[in-house]
Amino acid sequence: MKDLMTIRGFVATDVTSSTTGRGTAKASFRVGVTSRRFDESAKAWVDEHTNWFTVHGYRQLAGTIGCSIRKGQPVIVVGKLRLSTWENDGRVYHSTVIFADAVGHDLSLGSANFTRTSSKPSLSLVEPPAVPDDPQSAMGLIQDEAEDHDFDHLDDDAQPAVVIEDSNGELASLDLETGELAEV
């Protein structure tokens, strides 16, 4: 039997990534969970106390947390709760940590795109396709016009794009700011 718990809340800090002493990837962030109730006398919803949790994810989960989770987003976290208490200079401190088994966006408050990961990365960095000098040369196949594949000439204001190959073998552009995929 596992002692798992589930929380729903908002990401309160940026994700921090690190590596343990044994070389295991680790990602951490804080989640605030505020209960709400309907106050009959005021005829309005009111916030109650906020509970704060530190969430740690390890290995492959750490990588996907770092790519997917941003401060302010609603999330659902499933994991093992660990409470710690210690004293320093006569003051007692408490720590509430969840060692995450699963982390995801709360889709009751928005939408998200999902990309499956595996032991073999489903996304790999690749170079943009080369445009042959003779459009008819690629094994007798007719290529699109060269201007459709002109990756070398960016506008002065444009940032270089990262082109990746998705799990279907299709090329897609990766928005470096949001981490979202777009068609090439």
Side-chain angles (χ1 to χ4, degrees):
M1 181 170 108
K2 285 192 166 191
D3 57 340
L4 296 178
M5 67 170 299
T6 302
I7 63 166
R8 286 177 59 193
F10 285 88
V11 179
T13 62
D14 291 325
V15 174
T16 58
S17 298
S18 61
T19 306
T20 66
R22 293 184 174 182
T24 303
K26 175 183 174 184
S28 300
F29 61 96
R30 300 266 296 157
V31 174
V33 178
T34 304
S35 298
R36 298 192 76 190
R37 66 175 178 81
F38 189 76
D39 185 352
E40 287 291 333
S41 62
K43 302 288 187 219
W45 287 94
V46 294
D47 290 341
E48 294 184 336
H49 178 75
T50 300
N51 290 308
W52 297 97
F53 300 90
T54 299
V55 177
H56 295 306
Y58 294 91
R59 297 172 190 78
Q60 186 171 356
L61 180 59
T64 54
I65 286 172
C67 293
S68 305
I69 303 298
R70 300 287 176 264
K71 184 177 178 179
Q73 293 179 335
V75 292
I76 298 174
V77 177
V78 177
K80 296 176 191 87
L81 178 68
R82 295 293 178 254
L83 304 174
S84 301
T85 303
W86 68 95
E87 186 176 334
N88 188 13
D89 295 331
R91 186 165 179 195
V92 177
Y93 295 90
H94 302 279
S95 172
T96 309
V97 177
I98 297 176
F99 293 94
D101 285 343
V103 176
H105 291 103
D106 185 349
L107 298 181
S108 68
L109 299 172
S111 65
N113 291 321
F114 177 78
T115 303
R116 180 175 295 280
T117 58
S118 66
S119 58
K120 177 184 171 225
S122 61
L123 298 176
S124 60
L125 293 175
V126 297
E127 294 182 14
V131 178
D133 292 335
D134 178 13
Q136 307 275 337
S137 67
M139 290 187 272
L141 299 176
I142 297 176
Q143 299 282 327
D144 291 338
E145 293 296 321
E147 63 194 41
D148 292 341
H149 298 287
D150 194 8
F151 295 105
D152 296 331
H153 306 301
L154 296 172
D155 295 338
D156 292 336
D157 298 335
Q159 295 181 356
V162 173
V163 179
I164 61 172
E165 183 177 341
D166 67 16
S167 58
N168 297 329
E170 304 283 326
L171 292 180
S173 176
L174 179 66
D175 183 328
L176 296 176
E177 192 170 307
T178 64
E180 294 179 345
L181 296 177
E183 292 186 25
V184 176

